Amino acid sequence: MEHPHRVVLLAGPSGSGKSYIAQQTGLPVLCLDDFYKDGDDPTLPRRNGQVDWESPQSWDASTAVEIIAQLAREGRADVPVYAIGADRRVATRPFHVDGSPLFVAEGIFAAEIVEECRRRGLLAGAYALRRPRGATFLRRLARDLSEQRKAPRVLVRRGVALLRAEPAVLRRQTGLGAEAARAREVLRRVAGLLAGHPHG
């Protein structure tokens, strides 16, 4: 079945600039971070007694795919609004693709749904954003501190751990079907997808 709209999935390590690059495409952007599970969900993975928010199991992949499928079919859906500081969904909001043939869904776990989106005919492209690790560390720390996501010492400790894990994160994302690409390459490929779309 040919859908009137299709998704470009944008993955990449935490703090790599996914949200910024997604906005730079000029397409409607769905934030996949809003599909984290609530903090009291019994299915959340744990490590050393703490919720492991870096694990894909902390994220509601099935609901994310269903929302993307609805957007592909109908061009609109009600999507969750997640408060990271509170570790829970606090509202829903209407999301529209505004007649665009493509929309972007970005988030650290975007690669987890590449295969399912491809299988269901929803996928236009999938990319894992690749940037220098030091720049990603500083960008992530500045963002998290400014948004007061957690206590500063927690954010610094988390940032160092993510810095070390970053090569493995990219390997996993590309292994799941996302193409590693720098920011300019992502923008160029999305522009190519738009130019080649019969309704673009």
Side-chain angles (χ1 to χ4, degrees):
M1 173 186 174
E2 184 68 27
H3 298 288
H5 315 280
R6 289 194 302 157
V7 68
V8 176
L9 293 173
L10 183 59
S14 176
S16 56
K18 295 179 295 295
S19 300
Y20 175 75
I21 296 303
Q23 295 292 341
Q24 292 294 105
T25 66
L27 297 173
V29 178
L30 178 67
C31 178
L32 293 176
D33 284 358
D34 283 324
F35 293 87
Y36 272 105
K37 296 176 182 177
D38 286 349
D40 56 1
D41 189 315
T43 67
L44 280 171
R46 294 187 174 270
R47 184 170 57 186
N48 301 325
Q50 302 293 317
V51 173
D52 183 5
W53 294 108
E54 313 306 327
S55 166
Q57 301 305 313
S58 69
W59 187 68
D60 189 351
S62 60
T63 299
V65 171
E66 290 307 320
I67 292 290
I68 287 170
Q70 185 179 345
L71 289 169
R73 288 190 313 266
E74 304 169 21
R76 64 183 62 205
D78 288 331
V79 304
V81 177
Y82 195 95
I84 289 180
D87 293 338
R88 66 184 53 256
R89 298 177 192 188
V90 294
T92 60
R93 65 180 180 89
F95 183 91
H96 304 268
V97 302
D98 299 324
S100 171
L102 302 177
F103 62 99
V104 178
E106 63 84 15
I108 188 172
F109 298 129
E112 304 293 322
I113 57 175
V114 169
E115 191 52 45
E116 182 63 12
C117 286
R118 180 179 287 122
R119 187 185 72 78
R120 293 171 65 161
L122 309 172
L123 189 68
Y127 307 101
L129 192 58
R130 191 173 47 141
R131 286 183 183 259
R133 290 168 64 196
T136 299
F137 170 79
L138 293 173
R139 176 194 295 270
R140 177 174 54 238
L141 187 59
R143 176 201 68 191
D144 291 351
L145 288 170
S146 69
E147 295 178 6
Q148 299 179 332
R149 292 186 170 207
K150 304 285 180 186
R153 58 184 171 75
V154 173
L155 294 175
V156 171
R157 190 167 63 241
R158 174 178 178 265
V160 171
L162 290 174
L163 178 68
R164 291 176 180 148
E166 193 166 307
V169 168
L170 272 172
R171 280 196 302 273
R172 176 178 175 82
Q173 292 176 350
T174 54
L176 288 166
E179 177 187 350
R182 297 198 180 275
R184 281 178 295 183
E185 294 169 332
V186 170
L187 295 174
R188 189 166 62 244
R189 288 193 170 90
V190 170
L193 289 170
L194 273 174
H197 199 284
H199 307 296

